[in-house]
Amino acid sequence: MKNLSKRDLLFIGLMLFSLFFGAGNLIFPPFMAQAAGEKTWIAMSAFFITAVGFPVLGVIAVAKSGGLTNLAKRVNPVFASIFTVLIYLSIGPGLGIPRAGSLPFEMAVAPYLPESMSIKISLFIYTFLFFTVAYWLSLSPNKLVDRMGKVLTPTLLLLIIVIVVGSFIKPLGEYGAATNGYEISPFFKGFLDGYLTMDTIAALNFGIVIALAIKSKGINDEKTIVSLSIRAGLIAGGLLSVIYALLAHLGAASGGKFGLTENGAQTLTNVTNYIFGKPGAVLLALIFTLACLTTSVGLITSCSQYFSTLTKKISYKNWVRILTVSSMLLANMGLTKILSISVPVLNAIYPIAIMLIVLSMLDFIFKEDHLIYSLTILFTGIVSIIDALGQVGIKIGFITKSITFLPLYNEGLAWIIPAITGIIIGLCIKFAKEFLKENKIFSEKISD
């Protein structure tokens, strides 16, 4: 049976890392750490759970179940269809890809444009060039390992290492005091900050890309593909953890030296300007662009692969064209509008995605029990969706008010107790059915 060499497995792991590591992953750790200050590592311990742990488990869950649709069908076929499409739309053309296209421009290019230049025209030119390259890379998914794992990702990592090494040569100083709620509950805030990377949702999409990358190396045995997907996920997760820790250190030290900024891009700008002067702006622009480009390619590829399975009338390449053009147009809405939509959408979907992954990891206990999956996702979804609607001003009378009494509501985790309740009720019913079934069989044997 053919297997991957360690070298090829490493490059696939690097490719998966690059799919995960977009501009959001670049800016959120330092932005969080500058506010967390002396509590940075408490916050980061929770951030690792939602920004590294669950994404890696998501890749494993999708690989073991043979795809997101198969995993979601354990809840309900109708849920599987709606949830899968919603996941691909939100992480893809509806939110994730446009955000990746506009973020590097607004964070690392726009601040340095001459006042005479139109921001809108400049954004259009930038996104046109950005998505042209993304389109070209996405047309050949079987070449992603060579182009991303061997070239783009090492380049991105090298640029980040340059900043980190520079910070040791020219130290920023001590960490600042914890602020903005991190002084009270750094762990819970770090947990929620991990949502913003969108990687747990993205992981449910990237299973397709990783499987294709492994198959492109001549491996077709399903068990081997699952095993290699898991190992690639662990490589990517380990690398994410290291990079996040380094970025958090930069952010915490920056907060102590420069104070708080409005976003993580400004935090990194302060760091690079302090260490490298004006050339630091060019370095940061390259890092942002590469990080967003690799993520966009992964999202366009995975979404196009999925949507091409829904209808034979539109081919994979045509889906690439559709998603690239639509994402470019939406990216020109501007980052502020995109981010204003992203937070409530993520708060609604993320808990459902997390619990679907948790159920999959514990399936050796649940045995794909329909009731356990259904009740858990139902209870989780009701609370997360109502909470997300309330955040955008849509309140459903006493129902919206009632969830404010749930434990951990103030921490943004009101869905956890309902999720656990769904699992417990489902298990009780499952064990009760098994008990009654065994007693019935026992009674029949006695009567005979």
Side-chain angles (χ1 to χ4, degrees):
M1 184 185 296
K2 187 173 181 181
N3 208 337
L4 278 183
S5 66
K6 291 182 179 179
R7 183 172 178 272
D8 284 337
L9 179 62
L10 174 62
F11 285 133
I12 289 176
L14 288 175
M15 184 193 77
L16 179 57
F17 165 82
S18 70
L19 298 181
F20 280 132
F21 196 79
N25 309 74
L26 188 63
I27 64 175
F28 291 128
F31 184 59
M32 178 184 75
Q34 70 165 359
E38 59 193 9
K39 300 287 182 70
T40 288
W41 300 113
I42 298 176
M44 285 302 295
S45 67
F47 183 86
F48 286 141
I49 296 173
T50 45
V52 179
F54 280 117
V56 172
L57 291 177
V59 171
I60 296 172
V62 170
K64 290 179 67 176
S65 58
L68 174 57
T69 301
N70 290 338
L71 175 58
K73 277 182 179 177
R74 295 176 185 176
V75 179
N76 182 278
V78 175
F79 167 81
S81 299
I82 295 173
F83 181 72
T84 304
V85 171
L86 186 60
I87 284 286
Y88 276 101
L89 286 176
S90 62
I91 196 67
L95 189 60
I97 304 173
R99 185 180 83 165
S102 64
L103 199 150
F105 173 83
E106 296 203 24
M107 294 302 186
V109 178
Y112 303 101
L113 290 175
E115 293 184 5
S116 58
M117 290 188 68
S118 168
I119 294 294
K120 289 185 177 180
I121 294 175
S122 300
L123 174 61
F124 180 81
I125 294 171
Y126 179 89
T127 53
F128 177 81
L129 295 173
F130 179 93
F131 282 108
T132 297
V133 177
Y135 168 75
W136 173 71
L137 289 170
S138 300
L139 284 177
S140 304
N142 59 325
K143 296 180 181 179
L144 288 183
V145 175
D146 292 330
R147 291 173 176 172
M148 293 173 65
K150 295 181 181 180
V151 180
L152 295 181
T153 306
T155 303
L156 173 61
L157 290 173
L158 178 62
L159 293 174
I160 294 173
I161 290 170
V162 168
I163 295 179
V164 174
V165 171
S167 72
F168 287 113
I169 296 172
K170 191 176 181 180
L172 290 160
E174 300 295 325
Y175 291 5
T179 58
N180 287 0
Y182 289 97
E183 71 279 13
I184 300 171
S185 54
F187 186 86
F188 288 119
K189 283 190 69 65
F191 189 93
L192 292 175
D193 285 339
Y195 283 16
L196 298 175
T197 65
M198 300 177 73
D199 281 347
T200 297
I201 298 175
L204 300 177
N205 296 5
F206 291 155
I208 293 177
V209 182
I210 296 304
L212 282 173
I214 294 171
K215 288 179 180 178
S216 72
K217 298 299 180 181
I219 295 172
N220 296 304
D221 178 69
E222 289 301 321
K223 288 185 178 179
T224 305
I225 291 172
V226 171
S227 174
L228 292 171
S229 296
I230 292 171
R231 290 161 67 185
L234 293 174
I235 292 171
L239 193 53
L240 281 171
S241 298
V242 172
I243 297 299
Y244 286 154
L246 293 174
L247 290 171
H249 166 71
L250 293 177
S254 172
K257 187 171 186 65
F258 304 109
L260 301 184
T261 60
E262 293 183 2
N263 54 63
Q266 291 179 8
T267 305
L268 290 176
T269 298
N270 286 341
V271 171
T272 53
N273 286 344
Y274 172 75
I275 298 172
F276 303 105
K278 289 185 178 180
V282 177
L283 176 63
L284 198 58
L286 286 173
I287 291 174
F288 271 111
T289 300
L290 276 178
C292 286
L293 179 62
T294 54
T295 297
S296 292
V297 171
L299 293 174
I300 292 171
T301 301
S302 58
C303 290
S304 297
Q305 289 287 351
Y306 172 70
F307 289 129
S308 65
T309 65
L310 298 182
T311 174
K312 295 181 180 179
K313 294 182 180 179
I314 305 177
S315 66
Y316 168 80
K317 289 187 177 181
N318 281 331
W319 275 115
V320 170
R321 295 183 183 102
I322 292 169
L323 297 182
T324 303
V325 172
S326 61
S327 297
M328 188 196 77
L329 294 175
L330 287 173
N332 280 270
M333 288 171 49
L335 181 62
T336 302
K337 288 184 179 179
I338 294 172
L339 291 179
S340 67
I341 299 170
S342 68
V343 173
V345 170
L346 290 176
N347 285 341
I349 297 176
Y350 231 87
I352 299 173
I354 286 175
M355 289 313 302
L356 200 57
I357 292 170
V358 169
L359 290 170
S360 174
M361 291 297 102
L362 298 176
D363 197 59
F364 64 93
I365 299 173
F366 305 141
K367 308 295 183 183
E368 297 187 19
D369 187 272
H370 166 71
L371 191 61
I372 294 174
Y373 275 81
S374 298
L375 289 176
T376 304
I377 297 303
L378 176 64
F379 291 178
T380 304
I382 288 174
V383 175
S384 66
I385 291 170
I386 291 174
D387 191 22
L389 290 173
Q391 291 173 21
V392 294
I394 302 175
K395 298 185 178 181
I396 314 171
F398 77 96
I399 297 178
T400 301
K401 188 175 181 179
S402 64
I403 69 169
T404 63
F405 296 104
L406 288 171
L408 302 178
Y409 172 80
N410 291 331
E411 287 78 15
L413 300 170
W415 55 270
I416 287 182
I417 298 302
I420 295 173
T421 303
I423 292 175
I424 293 172
I425 293 174
L427 280 172
C428 289
I429 295 173
K430 174 182 169 65
F431 292 145
K433 284 181 178 179
E434 291 176 353
F435 177 78
L436 292 173
K437 185 178 179 180
E438 289 176 2
N439 274 356
K440 183 179 179 182
I441 294 173
F442 181 71
S443 300
E444 289 174 352
K445 285 183 178 179
I446 292 177
S447 62
D448 289 342

